[in-house]
Amino acid sequence: MNPPFDLVIRSRRAVLPDGERPAAVAVRDGRIAAIDDVDTAPAAAATVDLGDVALLPGLVDTHVHVNEPGRTEWEGFATATRAAAAGGVTTIVDMPLNSVPPTTEPSALAVKREAAAGRCFVDVGFWGGAVPGNVSRLRGLHERGVFGFKCFTSDSGVPEFPPLNEEGLDAAFTEIASFGGLVIVHAEDPGGLSEPLDGGYPAFLASRPASAERAAVEQVVRLAERTGVRAHILHLSAADCLEPLAEARARGLPITAETCPHYLTLSAEDVPGPDDTAFKCCPPIRDAGNREELWRGLTDGVISCVVSDHSPCTPALKRGDFATAWGGISSLQLGLPAVWTAARARGHGLEAVVRWMAEGPAALAGLGSRKGGIAVGNDADLVAFAADDSFTVDPAALRHRHPVTPYAGRALSGVVRTTWLRGEIVGQTPRGGLLHA
């Protein structure tokens, strides 16, 4: 007689929806079929005993720029998803830029799905894009399974994905609200931005002030209240934005926000000099005081997700100075240990990290019934995480295409030992699926 389960994983530190405790997680046909006491684990074809190594749900990263097709020399589905798996991320949602064509119409979504098919080591979903002139195509993208629509209030950095002015935002928000969709916004007011006066980091930081971010967030709040759309603020860097977001939530508006590992773990004071453009991103990494305010916003629930905004490019585009280099940080593989290192230092446990990096993003994308938690019926996306081990970041060990990172040489806590996708160890064969909303 065959055992009732395909796999049982035992851990003294399983992070479950009700907290961290010893448990045995049983898997059948790629899904979590039972959760039992660690000492009375049921029979299975295979059993893994992690001991004191923590068992986490696979992380969900809803902010990843894969860049394929069109700019595959920047990244690609194979390299990005290998990096994701190495970092304990089992689901990503790909941004509609910087690929060419951008995912702004149904035919472009089909091209992107074709590029991804058979190349993904974790599960992949797709955002659509809202740009000038494509309002009539948003519903078609929604019907074909995108998870929502990204737009910019300021220059995106690539010409094929222009920003929306207030009239364009209003039209897109109204249309997306009409079919119950989600809009995700890069919120920086272009009127508050300027060109850096020189190539150093202080001038770059001054060119993208917190006031520009807050003005755009307040604009999104006004438009969301008027149109009724569900809205999400991307990569929040300015703690000044927490006040209008908290007020909007208190009024019952369906507005959420995310931040990123680099805003929670790095600071402007960490940037060594004008050549260290690995630290450049938009909006920028701000000062240490601002960082601590972001942690308070996360703790208070004003910020609900921590996701990577993995935005790589070729090394040549990242060279130069802060006025000219590409603005993007590649941290898909390092987000979990980076956040855990900083979270533990501030008294947070693994259950909080799981809430921010698995449960929250899964809920944002509407995947909470399948992903983001160790619960019966969910996909058996699981991570063995040695939370008490440490390592020094070696760029040569990173799996994304170009090993450029501001974390180079940093000591981080927590090592991903094994990643399972639907009950199977992520290895050399791409088994990731393409998700529909």
Side-chain angles (χ1 to χ4, degrees):
M1 182 177 178
N2 292 329
F5 299 108
D6 304 320
L7 172 68
V8 166
I9 305 173
R10 300 166 60 186
S11 171
R12 296 281 172 188
R13 299 186 66 183
V15 182
L16 307 177
D18 60 353
E20 181 182 321
R21 61 179 172 85
V25 178
V27 178
R28 184 192 299 119
D29 297 329
R31 291 183 175 257
I32 297 170
I35 300 172
D36 292 313
D37 185 82
V38 71
D39 294 319
T40 58
T47 299
V48 176
D49 192 340
L50 298 179
D52 291 328
V53 171
L55 183 65
L56 314 182
L59 304 189
V60 178
D61 192 335
T62 52
H63 198 145
V64 179
H65 294 269
V66 176
N67 305 331
E68 185 176 9
R71 290 192 176 96
T72 310
E73 70 275 14
W74 293 19
E75 189 60 283
F77 285 102
T79 51
T81 56
R82 278 184 184 274
V89 177
T90 53
T91 302
I92 67 170
V93 187
D94 173 54
M95 284 291 166
L97 74 163
N98 304 302
S99 56
V100 180
T103 316
T104 54
E105 58 181 47
S107 62
L109 176 63
V111 170
K112 183 165 281 193
R113 287 187 180 278
E114 183 178 358
R119 294 179 175 87
C120 299
F121 289 82
V122 302
D123 287 351
V124 177
F126 303 94
W127 296 110
V131 296
N134 84 325
V135 169
S136 64
R137 294 187 282 279
L138 299 180
R139 185 179 292 269
L141 281 164
H142 173 75
E143 292 171 348
R144 287 162 177 80
V146 301
F147 285 84
F149 300 89
K150 181 176 186 177
C151 64
F152 281 75
T153 62
S154 57
D155 181 30
S156 73
V158 293
E160 67 276 0
F161 204 98
L164 295 172
N165 60 20
E166 180 143 2
E167 182 181 358
L169 289 167
D170 188 84
F173 283 24
T174 299
E175 174 66 8
I176 293 165
S178 73
F179 50 75
L182 168 67
V183 62
I184 60 175
V185 186
H186 179 126
E188 288 181 286
D189 177 17
L193 306 180
S194 62
E195 292 297 323
L197 296 177
D198 60 37
Y201 193 74
F204 171 68
L205 181 57
S207 75
R208 306 187 86 99
S211 57
E213 205 171 341
R214 177 164 177 155
V217 166
E218 290 174 340
Q219 179 188 41
V220 171
V221 170
R222 289 195 304 271
L223 290 171
E225 188 166 27
R226 188 158 78 221
T227 63
V229 78
R230 184 162 62 105
H232 179 74
I233 303 298
L234 297 169
H235 46 47
L236 189 74
S237 83
D240 284 355
C241 298
L242 295 172
E243 182 182 17
L245 287 169
E247 290 174 353
R249 290 170 60 82
R251 298 203 309 273
L253 297 181
I255 297 179
T256 54
E258 67 186 40
T259 194
C260 304
H262 39 279
Y263 301 130
L264 295 170
T265 63
L266 305 175
S267 71
E269 295 89 338
D270 294 328
V271 181
D275 297 328
D276 292 282
T277 53
F279 287 81
K280 182 179 178 180
C281 57
C282 300
I285 295 165
R286 304 189 189 276
D287 62 71
N290 178 88
R291 179 186 63 198
E292 298 313 309
E293 290 296 323
L294 289 178
W295 275 102
R296 278 188 274 277
L298 194 59
T299 303
D300 293 344
V302 180
I303 301 170
S304 58
C305 306
V306 179
V307 290
S308 69
D309 189 11
H310 180 77
S311 186
C313 65
T314 61
L317 289 173
K318 201 65 176 165
R319 287 194 284 266
D321 58 28
F322 282 96
T324 59
W326 176 258
I329 288 178
S330 302
S331 64
L332 191 50
Q333 186 172 334
L334 298 173
L336 174 57
V339 172
W340 168 236
T341 301
R344 182 163 67 169
R346 291 164 175 80
H348 299 289
L350 283 172
E351 66 276 8
V353 174
V354 164
R355 184 168 66 251
W356 301 327
M357 303 187 77
E359 294 173 11
L364 172 71
L367 291 169
S369 62
R370 293 182 53 188
K371 308 284 188 181
I374 300 178
V376 172
N378 277 13
D379 290 347
D381 299 344
L382 301 163
V383 179
F385 185 60
D388 297 325
D389 290 357
S390 61
F391 69 103
T392 299
V393 176
D394 176 6
L398 299 177
R399 303 291 183 88
H400 58 264
R401 190 178 297 281
H402 302 294
V404 177
T405 174
Y407 294 100
R410 286 180 174 263
L412 298 179
S413 297
V415 176
V416 173
R417 297 296 184 198
T418 309
T419 301
W420 290 266
L421 180 69
R422 291 188 297 279
E424 293 192 24
I425 293 174
V426 178
Q428 299 303 309
T429 302
R431 294 182 46 258
L434 304 185
L435 304 177
H436 291 75

